[in-house]
């Protein structure tokens, strides 16, 4: 077929993880770069573990990242008749057979084969059966090739050769009547006219079996591209011990979707030395030829750096809306008592530079929104000493007179205090910073005072003077 068709086919058995969404992204970029179609298919044949809640998490995560799909979401549980039709066809043509062996019998024969130094593959005990075994419901096995080789010409790894004699007669339908993964995925990809299967290389060992199934069913196999795994900084498979692995966790931690997309695109793919890409640039530059063969190493610090970059570049209004959602979620702002939108944009403007995540920004914004600021004990002890009280009292009186209450007027007052007292600016600014924000780290003090406003600034400096005395 001339039109490129790719798919992302997650199992809805839990959260959408970094490895899965990276696979989805590479499929999406390939489709968009080639003018093809991106299909979303939910592989929910494992009915004991698949949930509607997990399906919704997958859909929400993809929408948050902007990975729109052209078809779907299809669900395998809605396609059972199609799988049975293909299984029946294989049985009629002698390319599959019923297997009545119990799990216990299979396990015993597998152990015996291994003890004898033989491959632990199925011994085809049921292949020649002419009659059903009474009292048992059979599974269905695919009759795999015994001789020759199956060569997978992978677009990332090159040609990978498998000896057919090493391949098992895999089960394609369980005794409960449900198709197995390998059968369902082949039927789906073939009947949906998928041209390229782009997936993690943990599926590579399934591929020769699937290639044989395509051919037995009379279909031309698609092209395959197996992506390298993602490792943690210690070079082991990425897992929860390395930190957050679910896409929703990064959303909750205050990452922007464009930062995660940019980072994941560079995780196993490159375009020269460029690190920062717009979505349009990724679409224009993405090729499977530039996907690496070695495992990609997940670097949380680099993702944080990228997120900081995108927060700094983002529109103040957009960040203000996202910040407000977090403030409401934490109960810092009550519904119906939201701050003025333009004021919130100004707050975002002074917090952007220091914020690596939206959660960091929320924590910094809290001091501007609560009725009474909570001071860090160490900062209070160090900076709010008796000798600073007269300075703060004088500063307070002069700030009251500033009109309009803007950066330049506030700076003029501080400079005057420095000239009169002989104190360095920091000796005045730090006590004020502690009084206003509760800590010693904040944006520039003049910006803090301007955005906090005259009324709140006066109130907090007065409270600090009272506390000192």
């Amino acid at each position: 077929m001339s039109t490129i068709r790719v798919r992302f086919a997650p199992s809805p058995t839990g959260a959408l993880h970094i490895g899965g969404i990276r696979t989805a992204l590479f499929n999406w970029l390939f489709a968009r770069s080639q003018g093809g179609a991106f299909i979303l298919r939910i592989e929910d044949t494992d009915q004991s573990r698949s949930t509607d809640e997990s399906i919704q998490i997958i859909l929400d995560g993809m929408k948050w990242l902007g990975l729109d799909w052209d078809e779907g979401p299809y669900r395998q549980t809605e396609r059972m008749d199609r799988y049975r039709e293909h299984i029946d066809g294989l049985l009629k043509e002698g390319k599959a057979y019923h297997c009545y062996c119990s799990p216990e019998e299979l396990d015993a024969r597998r152990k015996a084969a291994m003890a004898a130094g033989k491959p632990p593959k199925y011994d085809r005990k049921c292949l020649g059966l002419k009659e059903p075994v009474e009292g048992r419901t059979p599974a269905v096995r695919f009759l795999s090739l015994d001789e020759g080789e199956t060569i997978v010409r992978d677009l990332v790894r090159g040609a990978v050769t498998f000896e057919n004699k090493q391949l098992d007669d895999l089960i394609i339908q369980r005794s409960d009547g449900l198709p197995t993964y390998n059968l369902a995925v082949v039927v789906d990809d073939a009947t949906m006219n998928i041209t390229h299967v782009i997936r993690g290389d943990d599926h590579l060992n399934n591929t020769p079996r699937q290639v044989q199934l395509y051919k037995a069913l009379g279909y031309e196999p698609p092209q395959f591209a197996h992506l390298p795994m993602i490792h943690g900084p210690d070079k082991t498979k990425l897992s929860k011990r390395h930190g957050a692995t679910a896409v929703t966790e990064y959303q909750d931690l205050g990452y922007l979707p464009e930062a995660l997309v940019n980072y994941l695109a560079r995780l196993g793919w490159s375009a020269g030395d460029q690190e920062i890409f717009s979505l349009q640039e990724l679409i224009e530059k993405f090729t499977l030829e530039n996907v690496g063969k070695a495992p990609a190493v997940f670097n949380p610090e680099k993702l944080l750096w990228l997120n900081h970059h995108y927060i700094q570049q983002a529109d103040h209004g957009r960040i203000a809306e996202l910040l407000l959602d977090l403030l409401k979620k934490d109960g810092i702002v009550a519904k119906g008592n939201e701050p003025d939108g333009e004021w919130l944009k100004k707050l975002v403007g002074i917090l952007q530079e220091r914020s690596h995540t939206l959660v960091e920004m929320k924590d910094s914004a809290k001091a501007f929104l609560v009725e009474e600021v909570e001071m860090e004990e160490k900062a209070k002890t160090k900076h709010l000493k008796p000798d600073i009280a007269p300075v703060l009292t004088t500063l307070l009186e002069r700030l009251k007179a500033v009109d309009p209450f803007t950066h330049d007027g506030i700076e003029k007052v501080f400079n005057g205090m420095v000239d009169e007292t002989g104190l360095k600016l920091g000796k005045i600014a730090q006590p004020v910073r502690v009084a206003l924000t509760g800590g010693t780290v904040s944006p520039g003090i003049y910006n803090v005072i301007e955005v906090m406003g005259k009324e709140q600034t006066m109130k907090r400096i007065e409270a600090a003077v009272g506390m000192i005395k």
Side-chain angles (χ1 to χ4, degrees), residues 147 179 187 216 269 271 295:
E147 298 176 352
V187 172
W269 171 84

Side-chain angles (χ1 to χ4, degrees), residues 392-404:
L392 292 180
T393 301
T394 304
L395 181 73
L396 186 63
E397 292 306 315
R398 294 186 183 179
L399 286 173
K400 282 180 182 176
V402 176
D403 189 22

Side-chain angles (χ1 to χ4, degrees), residues 127-161:
L127 177 58
L129 288 180
K130 303 298 182 186
E131 299 293 333
V133 176
E134 192 176 338
R136 291 193 181 184
T137 306
V140 177
R141 286 185 182 272
F142 173 65
L143 184 59
S144 65
L145 300 176
D146 278 334
E147 298 176 352
E149 300 172 333
T150 298
I151 300 174
V152 178
R153 303 193 184 281
D154 193 88
L155 297 173
V156 173
R157 301 173 66 95
V160 185
T161 302

Side-chain angles (χ1 to χ4, degrees), residues 155-430:
L155 297 173
V156 173
R157 301 173 66 95
V160 185
T161 302
F162 296 86
E163 297 287 337
N164 288 336
K165 64 183 178 182
Q166 300 296 326
L167 304 179
D168 212 344
D169 287 358
L170 75 158
I171 292 175
I172 56 175
Q173 180 177 288
R174 293 187 287 266
S175 59
D176 60 6
L178 291 174
T180 59
Y181 162 77
N182 281 299
L183 183 283
V185 75
V186 167
V187 172
D188 284 339
D189 287 341
T191 57
M192 291 179 180
N193 298 314
I194 300 301
T195 60
H196 294 73
V197 172
I198 305 169
R199 59 188 179 187
D201 64 10
D202 52 331
H203 286 286
L204 183 59
N205 285 336
N206 288 324
T207 308
R209 297 175 170 90
Q210 292 172 8
V211 167
Q212 288 192 21
L213 269 170
Y214 279 107
K215 292 178 177 177
L217 290 166
Y219 296 118
E220 185 65 29
Q223 294 190 67
F224 291 95
H226 287 91
L227 309 175
M229 298 298 288
I230 300 175
H231 284 177
D234 60 356
K235 307 296 175 69
T236 62
K237 186 178 176 182
L238 189 68
S239 67
K240 285 192 173 183
R241 72 175 181 278
H242 297 114
T245 56
V247 172
T248 48
E249 289 181 85
Y250 285 96
Q251 187 176 4
D252 292 341
L253 287 169
Y255 285 78
L256 295 179
E258 57 266 40
L260 195 56
V261 165
N262 189 155
Y263 182 73
L264 291 177
R266 285 286 288 109
L267 206 57
W269 171 84
S270 62
D273 295 327
Q274 187 173 344
E275 293 289 350
I276 295 172
F277 296 83
S278 68
L279 200 57
Q280 191 55 42
E281 282 181 305
L282 286 173
I283 292 170
E284 290 169 2
K285 297 187 177 187
F286 185 82
T287 65
L288 289 172
E289 286 80 9
N290 285 341
V291 174
K293 295 181 177 67
V297 177
F298 191 87
N299 184 337
E301 287 76 21
K302 192 163 187 180
L303 173 57
L304 197 62
W305 172 79
L306 262 179
N307 201 56
H308 183 220
H309 165 80
Y310 280 106
I311 284 177
Q312 287 180 293
Q313 300 297 314
D315 174 72
H316 288 186
R318 177 193 168 207
I319 298 297
E321 287 180 15
L322 295 171
L323 176 62
L324 185 57
D325 288 341
L326 287 175
L327 291 166
K328 286 180 179 178
K329 185 179 176 182
D330 273 19
I332 298 167
V333 169
K335 190 175 181 180
N337 194 33
E338 294 89 350
D340 175 75
E342 289 304 311
W343 177 85
L344 198 56
K345 286 184 194 177
K346 285 184 181 179
L347 178 59
V348 166
I350 70 168
L351 296 180
Q352 270 179 314
E353 179 64 34
R354 291 175 173 270
S355 300
H356 289 79
T357 68
L358 294 177
V359 169
E360 270 190 23
M361 187 180 285
K362 176 210 63 177
D363 293 339
S364 299
K366 184 178 178 181
F368 293 81
L369 293 157
V370 294
E371 192 62 34
E372 189 175 328
V373 71
E374 187 178 327
M375 292 186 189
E376 297 170 10
E377 198 61 41
K378 188 176 178 181
K380 184 170 67 173
T381 303
K382 182 177 180 180
H383 295 288
L384 297 182
K385 295 178 178 179
D387 60 347
I388 202 65
V391 177
L392 292 180
T393 301
T394 304
L395 181 73
L396 186 63
E397 292 306 315
R398 294 186 183 179
L399 286 173
K400 282 180 182 176
V402 176
D403 189 22
F405 200 69
T406 60
H407 180 286
D408 291 348
I410 295 161
E411 182 179 13
K412 191 174 179 181
V413 168
F414 271 80
N415 288 339
M417 291 292 296
V418 167
D419 291 341
E420 287 181 32
T421 62
L423 294 170
K424 290 183 178 179
L425 179 60
K427 292 293 184 181
I428 302 172
Q430 278 298 70

Side-chain angles (χ1 to χ4, degrees), residues 16-36:
L16 183 59
H17 288 101
I18 288 297
I21 206 66
R22 198 269 304 258
T23 298
L25 174 62
F26 280 26
N27 275 279
W28 186 87
L29 288 173
F30 184 66
R32 296 292 173 258
S33 69
Q34 300 295 316

